[in-house]
């Protein structure tokens, strides 16, 4: 196959309606020129990062709409849009696996060209890290306080699988998938550069473990162990075997 022909024709003319609407000329020029890649893995490295940024753009934009619908208590809309967010989050996680097809040696070659860039500078990630606050505020005001409810009531003492409960579970799913992304990303780092090394900012990547411990909606996680402890105090923390011995 003629490489130069492929390189020359890949971006198209950019004049057909499909190309104009999707801005393919610009989109397909957002990567380094084919002749400037340091090795055969660098296109994949750039593309995966760029696509992840696009998913985060979509997730953040959708969360803005979810916040509006939370304030209107429009549960059907909230759930449909959360489904979109959760699918995009799962895609973000799955796509990390592509980078496992790159050898540690080839990543070191790419790394030379990254300056002191770090994923912590990702505009999408930094934005998403802040979006849980308004979401929680809207949920608390409109689904709980306005109806005299609490997290404890919707999960336990007044549990009836209510709108507030299913929305709370959608929030928890967003939280959980965000942490799953961090977990899989850490696995990817372990596979590529190892966990004992310093990042391009000079910090130990072990610091990323700290991020893994954070939760957007701690109240939604605490309720689970509070229920376990409360029920455990009734039926005994350490119990008899059901076999009766
Ligand atoms: C071989 C692939 C990758 C390696 C070796 C890698 C490595 C790292 C390292 C070492 C850090 C810590 C940076 C620091 O302490 O300043 C980091 C952070 C980060 N990276 Fe990656 N990364 C890879 C792929 C990706 C991809 C595909 C994304 C997609 C968005 C990404 C997003 C992030 C984010 C968001 C952070 C900040 C995480 C946090 O604060 O919890 N990384 N990465």
């Amino acid at each position: 196959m003629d490489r130069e022909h492929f390189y020359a024709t890949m971006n198209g003319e950019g004049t057909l309606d499909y190309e104009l609407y999707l801005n393919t000329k610009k989109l397909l020029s957002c990567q380094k020129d084919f002749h400037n890649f340091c090795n055969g893995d660098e296109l994949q490295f750039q593309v995966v990062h760029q696509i992840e940024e696009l998913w985060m753009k979509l997730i953040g934009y959708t969360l803005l709409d979810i916040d509006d619908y939370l304030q209107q208590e429009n549960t059907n809309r909230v759930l449909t849009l959360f489904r979109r967010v959760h699918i995009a989050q799962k895609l973000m996680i799955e796509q990390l696996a592509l980078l496992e097809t790159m050898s540690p040696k080839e990543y070191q070659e790419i790394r030379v060209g990254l300056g002191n860039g770090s994923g912590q500078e990702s505009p999408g990630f930094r934005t998403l890290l802040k979006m849980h606050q308004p979401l929680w505020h809207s949920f608390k005001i409109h689904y709980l306080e306005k109806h005299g409810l609490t997290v404890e009531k919707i999960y336990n003492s007044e549990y009836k699988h209510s709108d507030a409960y299913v929305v709370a579970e959608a929030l928890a799913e967003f939280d959980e998938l965000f942490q799953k992304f961090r977990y899989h990303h850490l696995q990817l780092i372990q596979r590529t550069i190892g966990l004992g090394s310093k990042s391009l900012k000079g910090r130990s990547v072990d610091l990323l473990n700290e991020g893994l411990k954070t939760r957007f909606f701690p109240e939604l996680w605490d309720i689970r162990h509070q229920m376990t402890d409360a029920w455990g105090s009734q039926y005994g923390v350490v119990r008899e075997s059901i076999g009766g011995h």
Side-chain angles (χ1 to χ4, degrees):
M1 207 179 285
D2 182 352
R3 267 178 185 274
E4 290 305 325
H5 178 71
F6 174 84
Y7 294 166
T9 56
M10 184 62 221
N11 290 9
E13 292 297 320
T15 51
L16 301 172
D17 277 1
Y18 177 92
E19 296 171 313
L20 288 169
Y21 181 74
L22 292 176
N23 212 349
T24 53
K25 197 85 186 159
K26 205 165 172 184
L27 179 70
L28 298 172
S29 314
C30 287
Q31 298 75 43
K32 274 187 174 178
D33 184 90
F34 283 112
H35 298 97
N36 294 336
F37 286 125
C38 71
N39 61 31
D41 286 283
E42 195 171 9
L43 175 62
Q44 176 189 238
F45 185 78
Q46 266 200 327
V47 163
V48 171
H49 278 83
Q50 288 174 341
I51 294 171
E52 298 275 20
E53 288 298 333
L54 286 175
W55 287 133
M56 287 190 274
K57 181 174 181 175
L58 178 67
I59 291 170
Y61 180 73
T62 310
L63 290 176
L64 290 177
D65 283 345
I66 289 176
D67 192 26
D68 288 345
Y69 286 123
L70 283 173
Q71 290 171 37
Q72 296 162 24
E73 290 182 64
N74 189 335
T75 306
N76 287 343
R77 287 280 191 185
V78 167
L79 294 184
T80 301
L81 291 183
F82 256 130
R83 180 150 185 266
R84 185 180 296 170
V85 166
H86 299 152
I87 292 172
Q89 288 183 284
K90 285 177 195 158
L91 290 172
M92 282 187 68
I93 294 166
E94 269 180 36
Q95 283 164 23
L96 289 177
L98 275 170
L99 292 175
E100 292 176 1
T101 64
M102 166 180 69
S103 73
K105 174 101 178 179
E106 271 140 346
Y107 177 63
Q108 294 299 338
E109 291 168 5
I110 294 171
R111 203 168 186 244
V112 175
L114 299 181
N116 67 11
S118 148
Q120 288 184 329
E121 293 162 5
S122 152
F125 196 77
R126 280 187 293 147
T127 305
L128 291 187
L129 278 176
K130 291 185 213 135
M131 293 190 78
H132 62 101
Q133 288 150 346
L135 288 174
W136 183 249
H137 181 75
S138 300
F139 172 71
K140 229 172 127 177
I141 301 285
H142 296 277
Y143 277 82
L144 298 181
E145 289 172 8
K146 215 186 223 175
H147 302 278
L149 292 170
T150 60
V151 169
E152 193 283 328
K153 284 180 180 171
I154 62 169
Y155 273 84
N156 191 26
S157 55
E158 294 179 18
Y159 170 71
K160 52 183 172 66
H161 215 93
S162 59
D163 281 19
Y165 169 79
V166 286
V167 170
E169 283 296 284
L171 287 164
E173 178 89 359
F174 167 60
D175 198 349
E176 181 172 307
L177 287 168
F178 199 86
Q179 291 302 21
K180 275 189 184 157
F181 171 82
R182 280 181 146 155
Y183 177 75
H184 284 270
H185 171 255
L186 201 60
Q187 295 292 320
L188 175 65
I189 296 178
Q190 180 161 38
R191 188 138 168 185
T192 317
I193 57 174
L195 286 183
S197 62
K198 298 259 188 289
S199 75
L200 292 172
K201 294 254 182 253
R203 295 182 290 249
S204 164
V205 292
D206 278 341
L207 284 177
L208 289 170
N209 277 321
E210 286 308 306
L212 269 178
K213 291 183 200 145
T214 62
R215 289 288 183 189
F216 287 154
F217 311 114
E219 285 185 59
L220 296 183
W221 302 106
D222 289 348
I223 182 61
R224 293 157 216 267
H225 73 75
Q226 286 160 4
M227 284 168 69
T228 309
D229 288 346
W231 284 63
S233 67
Q234 287 168 30
Y235 54 55
V237 179
V238 180
R239 290 186 287 158
E240 296 293 317
S241 159
I242 54 169
H245 350 279

